[in-house]
Structures are given as C-alpha cells and as structure tokens.
Amino acid sequence: MKVTDAFEGNFIDSLALTDGKVTLTIRSYAKPGEVKAKDKRPIDKPILYFQKTDKGLILNKTNATAIGLVLGNEMDNWEGHKVTLFRDQCEAFGVKNTPCVRVRVERGAQ
C-alpha cells in the first residue's frame, strides 16, 4: 500500500510529487465546503482541479495568493492557465521543516 493511498488519496500532497515538481493546467475549482474528506467532513478551503488528473490540490492561503498575484483575484479566470507544483519545506501546524506543496506561476503561462 502506498502512503498516498492510505490518507487523502484524491488530493495532491508533497509525497505525490514523485519527481519533485510537475506543471499542470488548471481545469476548474471547487468552493470551500463543496467537497468532503474521507471522514465526510467538508473541506473548508478551495480545491483546484487539473487537466489529465483526477487529483485536486487543496489550496492554502499562501498558494492561492501566489496564483492570484499572477492570474488575478478572480478564480473563475484561472481555467486554462499552467501552474507548477513543487515540493518544499515549510512551517505547518507549528512544526518547522514540514514537507509541503508550493505553487509557481509564470507570467503569461497558458
């Protein structure tokens, strides 16, 4: 069994980025509360979905802001744009050097 299958297998996390980074094209997004976790609780953050994969990325404020600074504040306008997801270390839940996913958007990337 893969670790990624044991937990939230429908979402992209740092372990899912086996090559360290991947560039994907945004297909759509789900608003906070529209999607439920495996334990049936609603996920209180937006989720980005991409072409060529069923896995979504649960957006935290840092990643949403990084995308918004380049593609604009309106998430409805993000469809069709490319973003690069990469592994990084960050502070999360009070723990330093936690593996995380970060997003990079190139200006004009579409």
Side-chain angles (χ1 to χ4, degrees):
M1 171 184 255
K2 295 180 182 177
V3 174
T4 51
D5 293 337
F7 296 95
E8 297 297 325
N10 292 331
F11 302 105
I12 298 169
D13 61 10
S14 59
L15 196 57
L17 299 174
T18 54
D19 292 330
K21 69 178 183 175
V22 64
T23 298
L24 299 168
T25 302
I26 298 171
R27 172 172 41 101
S28 63
Y29 71 94
K31 294 177 183 175
E34 288 184 342
V35 176
K36 295 190 180 358
K38 282 186 178 182
D39 64 4
K40 307 294 185 212
R41 290 183 298 146
I43 296 172
D44 64 347
K45 294 183 168 112
I47 301 169
L48 276 187
Y49 291 99
F50 305 96
Q51 296 175 9
K52 300 183 181 179
T53 182
D54 292 331
K55 289 184 179 264
L57 175 69
I58 300 172
L59 284 179
N60 58 26
K61 188 173 183 177
T62 300
N63 287 338
T65 300
I67 297 169
L69 286 171
V70 177
L71 300 182
N73 194 36
E74 180 55 61
M75 292 177 69
D76 289 339
N77 297 330
W78 294 2
E79 180 181 333
H81 288 273
K82 292 183 181 187
V83 296
T84 299
L85 310 181
F86 62 96
R87 278 192 294 213
D88 201 4
Q89 300 280 322
C90 60
E91 184 173 337
F93 311 107
V95 178
K96 291 184 179 183
N97 298 321
T98 300
C100 62
V101 175
R102 290 292 183 227
V103 177
R104 185 176 301 120
V105 184
E106 302 297 325
R107 294 196 183 277
Q110 192 168 16

